[in-house]
Amino acid sequence: MGKKISMAVIRRLPRYYRYLADLLRVDIKRISSKELSERMGITASQIRQDLNCFGGFGQQGYGYNVETLYKEIGKILGVERRFTTIIIGAGNMGNALANYENFRKRGFDLIGIFDINPNRVGQYINGIEILHMDKLEDFMKKNVVDIAILTVPSHIISEVAEKVADLGVKGIWNFSPQDLKLSHNVVIENVHLSDGLAVLGYRIKDLEQELA
Amino acid sequence: MGKKISMAVIRRLPRYYRYLADLLRVDIKRISSKELSERMGITASQIRQDLNCFGGFGQQGYGYNVETLYKEIGKILGVERRFTTIIIGAGNMGNALANYENFRKRGFDLIGIFDINPNRVGQYINGIEILHMDKLEDFMKKNVVDIAILTVPSHIISEVAEKVADLGVKGIWNFSPQDLKLSHNVVIENVHLSDGLAVLGYRIKDLEQELA
DNA sequence: TCATCTTTGTGATTTTTTTGTCAAGCTTTG
DNA sequence: CAAAGCTTGACAAAAAAATCACAAAGATGA
C-alpha cells in the first residue's frame, strides 16, 4: 500500500515550502509547475512528479492553488503537528539557533536550553533560562521533548546523544563535526556546516581551472 | 579529456576527509575500503569508485595509506591552496561562524567582519574588528577576498550579494533563507538550516507512523 | 455553448548513481 | 621464495532519479 517516498523528494519539500511562502507573501493565488520551475531552477516535470507523491494537489488547465499547496506541504512536513525542542550547548552556535525566530514559524518550539558552564547557567536566551545539565533528566521527565539540538563539543557528543535518546527524544539535530549513530529508534540529522564550505572551495577551484 | 566528476561524489569528499582525520588522530596508518565502509556506513564499492575518480590512491592487498589519502583529498578540496573569507552580518549566526575554529583547519582564513549596526562596529570577534559596511569596498580593493559568508537578513541578501560579486568574490556562502542566484561567475552555496530541521520533523512523523 | 488553450498526472524513457563481481597484483608468512 | 590471503581498479549490472511526452480534463474567451 504505502509506497515509500524517496529521500531525494523529501529533501526538496522544504524548498517548495519556502517558495510557496514567498508567493503567498506577494499575494499570488495560483502557480503552474512551469512557472514554479522557472523560479526554482528545476524542471516542471520534477515538480509535478514530486508533488504527486503525496496526492493530486493540482488541477488541469489551472495549476496549483498556492495556499492549498502550501498548507498541504506544511502538513506533510509536520508544521501543523508542531515539535518541541531543546538546545544542549549554549555556546555560540547554540545561542545563534536559540535566537533564530524562523524555527517557530516552521513548527518547532524551543522549550529548554542546557549547558554545563556555570557562567552561562541562569542567563536567558530569547526568554528561556539556561539550565544546568544536571536538570536535564528532571526536565525531560516533566516535559515531552521531541527533538534535541546538540551544539556541544565533539568529544562529548555521543555521551550526550545517548543520554537524550535514553530519556526519550525522537530526533537529534547534531551540529558536532562527529557523525552520530545510535542504536535507538531515534532519527538523526547530522549538519556538518564546514562540509558545505569545503564543497564551496572545491567548486571555486574547479571554476577557476575551467576559466583558465 | 577531463571527465566531469559528479556533485554526488564531491559532496561526499568532506565526509571522507573527516573520517580520515579521525583515523590519523588515533594513529591508524592504513585502511581498506572494507573497513572504512563499515565505519562510515556506506558500501566499500562506493568508496573505491569515489576515490578512483581522482586517481588510484590505493594499493592492492594493502588498502589506502591514511595520511596520503588525507592529503590528497585535502588537495582536491583546496585545503592546501587556502581561501580568504569575510563575514557580512555580525548577528548571532555571523558571530557563531566567526568563532568556529574548524574553518581555519579546513583551509579557510577569516580576514574581515562587517556589519551595519553602530553598536557592533568596532567590537572584536576572535581577534578581528567588526568594520562598518561602508568600509567594505575599500577593504576588498586592498585584500583578495575569495569567499563572502553572508549572514544578513533576507530582505537585503540579494543587494549584498550583488555588491560582493561586483567587488570580485569567487564564492558566496549564503545563510539567508532566501535562495541566491546571480548572473556573475560566482559559486553559491545556499545553506538553509531550517530545511534540515524540517526534514528531521518529517522523518520523526514517518517513523512514528511506521511504529504505530 | 463550443473551440481553443493550458496544464496536470502518469507511464515510458533516459540518465545518473549505486552496487556487485572478479582478474590482477601487492602483501604477508613460513 | 613460493603459496595463501587481501584488496584494489575496472567493468558490468541493478537501482534510483530525472526527464520526456502525451492523453485527459478543466479553464478561458468569443
Side-chain angles (χ1 to χ4, degrees):
Chain A
M1 167 92 229
K3 60 174 176 202
K4 211 172 67 277
I5 287 150
S6 82
M7 259 301 155
V9 176
I10 302 303
R11 293 202 181 278
R12 280 193 292 269
L13 287 183
R15 185 143 183 269
Y16 290 127
Y17 196 65
R18 268 189 282 121
Y19 273 82
L20 290 166
D22 290 347
L23 293 173
L24 274 183
R25 204 171 306 123
V26 295
D27 223 42
I28 291 177
K29 307 289 193 202
R30 60 186 260 192
I31 186 112
S32 68
S33 58
K34 179 154 173 289
E35 199 192 331
L36 191 55
S37 85
E38 281 154 13
R39 288 173 184 254
M40 295 184 66
I42 53 180
T43 65
S45 198
Q46 179 160 72
I47 292 173
R48 290 203 299 277
Q49 186 153 308
D50 282 355
L51 298 181
N52 237 165
C53 293
F54 303 95
F57 301 137
Q59 196 166 14
Q60 278 124 324
Y62 177 92
Y64 299 85
N65 179 290
V66 175
E67 193 174 347
T68 308
L69 189 54
Y70 178 77
K71 280 187 184 155
E72 287 295 335
I73 295 182
K75 243 187 257 175
I76 294 163
L77 289 175
V79 174
E80 249 180 17
R81 171 204 193 287
R82 305 204 73 77
F83 296 88
T84 54
T85 70
I86 59 172
I87 290 176
I88 301 185
N92 291 303
M93 184 55 74
N95 185 60
L97 295 174
N99 280 293
Y100 198 45
E101 280 308 327
N102 252 16
F103 294 151
R104 191 178 308 274
K105 284 186 210 144
R106 299 273 217 110
F108 300 89
D109 296 311
L110 179 64
I111 62 170
I113 305 175
F114 296 85
D115 204 308
I116 207 166
N117 181 345
N119 297 324
R120 285 299 262 153
V121 171
Q123 292 185 328
Y124 281 76
I125 305 180
N126 210 0
I128 296 172
E129 186 184 2
I130 301 175
L131 301 176
H132 193 277
M133 277 295 280
D134 293 345
K135 304 277 177 65
L136 179 66
E137 190 164 339
D138 194 49
F139 184 92
M140 288 191 64
K141 280 175 180 161
K142 289 184 184 140
N143 301 273
V144 174
V145 177
D146 295 316
I147 295 171
I149 302 174
L150 304 187
T151 50
V152 300
S154 301
H155 65 279
I156 57 165
I157 184 70
S158 42
E159 178 199 343
V160 174
E162 289 283 355
K163 186 162 192 173
V164 292
D166 285 341
L167 290 169
V169 298
K170 293 162 190 142
I172 291 177
W173 203 24
N174 169 33
F175 278 78
S176 103
Q178 196 71 219
D179 277 339
L180 261 186
K181 226 166 198 185
L182 297 179
S183 47
H184 301 65
N185 251 341
V186 175
V187 179
I188 294 172
E189 283 275 320
N190 296 301
V191 175
H192 302 309
L193 279 182
S194 32
D195 285 12
L197 188 53
V199 171
L200 186 60
Y202 174 89
R203 290 176 56 202
I204 289 174
K205 268 199 8 168
D206 200 49
L207 183 64
E208 283 174 351
Q209 282 175 328
E210 204 173 288
L211 297 178
Chain B
M1 172 85 234
K3 59 172 176 203
K4 210 171 69 276
I5 287 150
S6 83
M7 260 301 154
V9 175
I10 302 304
R11 294 202 179 278
R12 279 193 292 268
L13 288 182
R15 186 143 183 270
Y16 291 126
Y17 196 65
R18 267 189 285 121
Y19 274 82
L20 289 166
D22 289 349
L23 292 174
L24 274 183
R25 204 172 305 124
V26 294
D27 222 42
I28 291 177
K29 306 289 191 201
R30 60 187 258 192
I31 186 112
S32 67
S33 59
K34 180 155 174 288
E35 199 193 330
L36 192 54
S37 85
E38 279 154 16
R39 288 172 183 256
M40 297 185 66
I42 55 180
T43 64
S45 198
Q46 179 161 72
I47 292 174
R48 291 203 299 276
Q49 185 150 310
D50 282 354
L51 298 180
N52 237 167
C53 294
F54 303 96
F57 301 137
Q59 197 166 12
Q60 277 121 325
Y62 177 91
Y64 299 85
N65 178 292
V66 175
E67 192 174 347
T68 308
L69 189 54
Y70 178 76
K71 280 187 185 155
E72 286 296 335
I73 295 183
K75 244 187 255 177
I76 294 162
L77 289 175
V79 174
E80 249 180 18
R81 170 204 194 285
R82 304 202 73 78
F83 296 88
T84 55
T85 70
I86 59 173
I87 290 176
I88 301 185
N92 291 303
M93 185 53 74
N95 185 61
L97 295 175
N99 281 293
Y100 198 47
E101 281 307 326
N102 252 15
F103 293 153
R104 190 178 308 275
K105 284 187 212 143
R106 298 274 218 111
F108 300 89
D109 295 312
L110 180 63
I111 61 170
I113 305 174
F114 296 85
D115 203 307
I116 208 167
N117 180 345
N119 297 325
R120 285 300 262 152
V121 172
Q123 291 184 328
Y124 282 76
I125 305 180
N126 209 359
I128 296 172
E129 186 183 1
I130 301 176
L131 301 176
H132 192 277
M133 278 295 280
D134 293 346
K135 302 277 177 64
L136 180 65
E137 190 163 340
D138 195 48
F139 183 93
M140 290 191 62
K141 280 175 181 162
K142 288 184 185 142
N143 302 274
V144 173
V145 177
D146 295 316
I147 294 171
I149 301 173
L150 304 186
T151 51
V152 300
S154 299
H155 66 278
I156 57 165
I157 185 68
S158 42
E159 179 198 341
V160 175
E162 290 282 354
K163 188 162 190 173
V164 292
D166 285 341
L167 290 169
V169 297
K170 291 160 191 144
I172 291 176
W173 203 23
N174 170 33
F175 279 78
S176 103
Q178 194 71 221
D179 277 340
L180 261 184
K181 226 167 198 185
L182 297 178
S183 46
H184 302 67
N185 251 340
V186 175
V187 179
I188 295 171
E189 282 276 319
N190 296 299
V191 174
H192 303 309
L193 279 182
S194 31
D195 285 11
L197 189 53
V199 171
L200 185 59
Y202 173 88
R203 291 176 54 202
I204 289 174
K205 269 200 4 167
D206 200 48
L207 183 64
E208 282 174 351
Q209 283 175 328
E210 205 172 288
L211 297 178

